[in-house]
Amino acid sequence: MSEGTTDQPPGTQSAATQPTSTDSGPERWFDPSWTKVHPLSPFVRGWVTVIAIPGIVFGYNWQMWADAWQAVQSGEIQRDVSANPMPFILGGVGALLIIVLIFGSFVLTWWFTRYKITAEHVMVKSGVFVRQHRQARIDRVQAVDLRQPLAARITGLAELKFEVAEGDGTAATLAFLKKAQAEELRAEIMDRAAGNPPSSPTTAQDSTGPVPGAEPEGTATADGEWRAPADSHSQPTAPPGSPDRLVAKVPTGRLIGSVLSGWGTIFVLLLILVAVGAVIAGLITASLDPAEGFGAVWPVVAALGIPTFLPMAIAAITIYYQQFSSGFGFTSTATSAGLRIRYGLLETTNQTIPPGRVQALQVQQPVLWRPFKWFRIVVTVAGYGIGEKRSVLLPVGRIEDVMATVAEMFPDLQVENPEEVFTAGLLNSGTELNFTEVPRRARLFDPYVRRRRGFRTTPAALMFRDGRAARRLTMIPHERIQSLSMHQGPLQRGRAVADIFVHSPAGPFQSRLKNQDLDAVQELFEYESAQAATARRYSDRNHWMRPEELQEFERKAAEATAPADGDAEAPASTADQPESPDHQAPADQQVQARHGTAEDHQEEERHLRER
């Protein structure tokens, strides 16, 4: 059975599909080139079962076990065993059989779970009765996550998750390996996904020792897979001249404040007010009947309140814990392979998100965060799906943290004043810096956010801003725009406005803008049809970054995060010329002011061809 497989190039065949004996002989499911995961992997995955079964057995009828213990202490059990031993023998054999079955299933799961890394694929085979073969193309890897649940942290193990562009789920998971081994393997996979040949052929070897008949450790095999010493503790390092650089860090106090200033706190306060109101109503009712008092009313209040409020209280505590755990110890570090983020309280996760794989980015400011000037950043990465936990690029941060993080994803907006453009999109409203707004003729549709809701384009990205109470700024690289659509209802047709949809892979947000001027929307369609096609033609199709692109990215990121130099001159761009006070510029000049001239695009294409 094959799940999550991808097609291999014509004329190639991996070792997993090559016959190991004669052409007429049966194909072996495993050959010596496949590597087993760590022997403790089944116990790390199933530790909850190991603990839950005794808990259920002993907790189902606690009084029965208490009576049995008293019988043992009094000697009654010993007399019963001497008189009739057969029931006790059968019970002991049954309990032993259950234990053997549980541990036997763990051993079989470990034995039949193996993986192999080739020059093109990460492949994982598993299953005893129903077999699965999952593989992910290395050049299509979107991100590599290193995860450590609580049991894995105790045993020093880690799992790797490979996300690819072909679907919304995880393409392949290696669970579990030694942590140092997993870090080395992740670094090697990221280098290969970036299109860089490995400095030395490496992969994770079987943690139980060398495989008989396999090639020596640290050498490449004949069919292209690569191996590393099993007990290697070398840490992945950035390329020379590219040291890791801390981008943002979330203090624990700020994280607690952001969790408590969410809508969950408002909900909890409402529950408390309702509970207090119920108690007051009970006291008033009890005062009407002094003979009975509150004791007669309390059972009714408890019978109605506990079944209602207890589940809500548990849900609120769970939500608080999840939000706190997903942001605890959060740090983001710029590396040669992308932005590496780390977070987690009991379960730690290390993600590496390359800028070239980000489909869209959104900066959010909930209304309750505005007094504290806090923001959050989420991204859409192909393969992550709608799971917002892994899509958070910054759980909470100030404006300087936001600008430093966004600069890693968009190191150059290719405009004269990128900080002003970004700040205007995040905080301001109106048509300054060539942002659009909802036309006055459609102000009945959006009376509150009319001047805030709009878009603008730069040579590097399309920017949507929306929301007045809860602000949002969405940025989509031109080369990542899959398609655009325009929706117009009957009332919108009467006002000559339309909604814009930018189609991208599933993620935590949608790129949508409502009630924009119809002419501006049609103009955006024409612009993106040319700009997005040109950007895709010169963007990296399979790999994260080539060496020369990496150097250019690091240079632009350093310039974007460095203090502005008033004497430095930036290239002129007609996209940043402010509109004249009378707003009566000709239509062709307005097109050039919003999107740039054709000569700008031709010059940009020429530079891209030279690169």
Side-chain angles (χ1 to χ4, degrees):
M1 179 177 177
S2 177
E3 258 187 53
T5 59
T6 55
D7 297 332
Q8 298 182 7
T12 64
Q13 188 177 27
S14 66
T17 58
Q18 292 177 353
T20 56
S21 57
T22 61
D23 294 340
S24 59
E27 178 183 343
R28 295 178 59 185
W29 180 246
F30 295 125
D31 58 39
S33 63
W34 289 82
T35 306
K36 292 189 290 292
V37 295
H38 197 277
L40 293 179
S41 299
F43 300 96
V44 174
R45 284 196 298 263
W47 70 273
V48 175
T49 303
V50 175
I51 296 177
I53 291 179
I56 294 174
V57 171
F58 289 101
Y60 178 72
N61 192 343
W62 176 251
Q63 187 61 39
M64 180 186 68
W65 295 104
D67 295 341
W69 177 249
Q70 292 179 358
V72 171
Q73 289 181 330
S74 63
E76 183 180 354
I77 291 292
Q78 291 83 342
R79 292 191 295 269
D80 292 343
V81 171
S82 300
N84 187 10
M86 186 56 63
F88 296 93
I89 294 175
L90 294 178
V93 171
L96 182 62
L97 182 60
I98 292 175
I99 295 174
V100 170
L101 287 176
I102 293 175
F103 283 89
S105 64
F106 283 174
V107 172
L108 289 176
T109 301
W110 165 74
W111 182 263
F112 284 94
T113 301
R114 306 191 185 190
Y115 68 94
K116 180 167 67 173
I117 313 296
T118 68
E120 297 179 351
H121 294 89
V122 178
M123 295 182 287
V124 180
K125 288 185 177 181
S126 61
V128 180
F129 302 106
V130 179
R131 293 178 173 178
Q132 296 180 350
H133 180 188
R134 302 178 68 89
Q135 67 180 22
R137 278 178 51 187
I138 293 179
D139 62 353
R140 300 296 294 166
V141 169
Q142 299 284 321
V144 183
D145 300 345
L146 190 148
R147 178 174 166 268
Q148 276 192 293
L150 179 60
R153 295 180 64 181
I154 296 174
T155 56
L157 303 180
E159 72 171 346
L160 291 177
K161 288 188 175 183
F162 302 93
E163 309 290 346
V164 297
E166 279 77 7
D168 292 339
T170 301
T173 301
L174 295 183
F176 287 82
L177 308 174
K178 292 182 179 180
K179 183 180 178 181
Q181 189 178 353
E183 290 176 343
E184 182 179 0
L185 181 58
R186 180 182 65 166
E188 195 67 42
I189 293 296
M190 290 190 297
D191 285 342
R192 288 178 174 264
N196 302 325
S199 57
S200 61
T202 60
T203 191
Q205 177 61 286
D206 185 4
S207 57
T208 60
V211 179
E215 288 73 5
E217 295 178 347
T219 61
T221 62
D223 55 354
E225 68 236 23
W226 26 285
R227 295 186 176 274
D231 296 327
S232 174
H233 292 277
S234 61
Q235 300 293 331
T237 57
S242 303
D244 294 351
R245 175 169 42 83
L246 181 65
V247 176
K249 184 176 181 179
V250 177
T252 304
R254 184 187 301 170
L255 177 64
I256 295 175
S258 67
V259 172
L260 294 179
S261 59
W263 289 108
T265 301
I266 304 297
F267 180 72
V268 171
L269 292 178
L270 290 176
L271 288 181
I272 294 175
L273 290 177
V274 172
V276 172
V279 172
I280 294 175
L283 292 174
I284 294 175
T285 305
S287 65
L288 299 178
D289 190 1
E292 295 293 337
F294 188 69
V297 181
W298 170 249
V300 178
V301 174
L304 296 177
I306 293 178
T308 302
F309 292 102
L310 185 60
M312 294 182 180
I314 295 175
I317 294 174
T318 302
I319 294 173
Y320 278 138
Y321 172 77
Q322 291 177 348
Q323 293 178 352
F324 180 76
S325 176
S326 62
F328 182 79
F330 185 95
T331 58
S332 60
T333 306
T335 67
S336 59
L339 192 67
R340 184 175 67 231
I341 59 179
R342 184 185 186 277
Y343 58 88
L345 181 59
L346 299 179
E347 174 185 317
T348 60
T349 302
N350 288 269
Q351 296 175 234
T352 300
I353 304 177
R357 294 307 196 195
V358 173
Q359 309 292 321
L361 177 147
Q362 187 175 85
V363 184
Q364 304 171 351
Q365 187 182 38
V367 61
L368 298 179
W369 287 9
R370 292 187 61 173
F372 309 101
K373 299 180 180 180
W374 291 341
F375 301 88
R376 174 175 54 201
I377 303 178
V378 294
V379 292
T380 296
V381 177
Y384 275 3
I386 60 176
E388 188 175 348
K389 179 180 178 181
R390 292 190 299 165
S391 301
V392 176
L393 208 61
L394 181 66
V396 56
R398 297 187 179 276
I399 186 66
E400 54 268 19
D401 301 323
V402 171
M403 297 189 71
T405 304
V406 173
E408 298 298 327
M409 300 292 107
F410 295 87
D412 187 8
L413 290 178
Q414 301 180 20
V415 294
E416 278 186 345
N417 47 352
E419 294 86 0
E420 294 181 15
V421 172
F422 179 80
T423 304
L426 186 59
L427 304 176
N428 299 345
S429 60
T431 57
E432 295 181 358
L433 296 177
N434 300 311
F435 276 94
T436 65
E437 64 180 16
V438 176
R440 290 183 59 85
R441 60 181 179 274
R443 60 183 177 272
L444 293 178
F445 299 153
D446 294 310
Y448 185 61
V449 297
R450 183 184 74 83
R451 292 184 56 79
R452 170 77 184 158
R453 180 168 290 166
F455 71 90
R456 78 154 285 170
T457 61
T458 74
L462 172 62
M463 305 174 67
F464 285 176
R465 71 177 184 188
D466 201 352
R468 182 173 292 276
R471 296 165 173 165
R472 298 183 301 276
L473 173 64
T474 306
M475 303 175 67
I476 311 105
H478 293 300
E479 65 271 16
R480 300 303 175 188
I481 295 178
Q482 297 183 350
S483 63
L484 287 88
S485 63
M486 178 182 69
H487 296 254
Q488 193 178 40
L491 297 179
Q492 291 177 316
R493 284 196 293 270
R495 299 293 181 175
V497 294
D499 299 343
I500 310 172
F501 287 84
V502 176
H503 300 153
S504 59
F509 59 89
Q510 290 184 343
S511 302
R512 176 185 179 182
L513 204 60
K514 299 175 62 177
N515 301 321
Q516 296 299 295
D517 181 73
L518 183 60
D519 293 337
V521 172
Q522 293 174 345
E523 178 186 323
L524 178 64
F525 266 71
E526 296 176 0
Y527 173 77
E528 287 298 340
S529 63
Q531 182 73 1
T534 301
R536 280 194 299 270
R537 194 159 54 243
Y538 296 109
S539 66
D540 192 9
R541 294 175 175 81
N542 288 324
H543 299 298
W544 291 357
M545 284 188 180
R546 300 184 180 92
E548 61 274 12
E549 293 174 336
L550 176 60
Q551 295 177 2
E552 182 70 10
F553 166 76
E554 291 177 344
R555 182 186 66 81
K556 291 180 177 180
E559 293 177 354
T561 56
D565 186 358
D567 298 332
E569 294 184 358
S573 172
T574 57
D576 300 298
Q577 297 296 332
E579 292 181 279
S580 59
D582 54 0
H583 299 281
Q584 298 296 325
D588 55 346
Q589 293 182 9
Q590 293 179 7
V591 172
Q592 293 178 0
R594 187 175 298 134
H595 302 304
T597 62
E599 289 78 3
D600 294 334
H601 302 322
Q602 294 174 0
E603 184 70 15
E604 180 186 356
E605 292 185 16
R606 186 178 63 81
H607 286 301
L608 288 171
R609 292 192 186 96
E610 291 176 356
R611 287 173 53 192

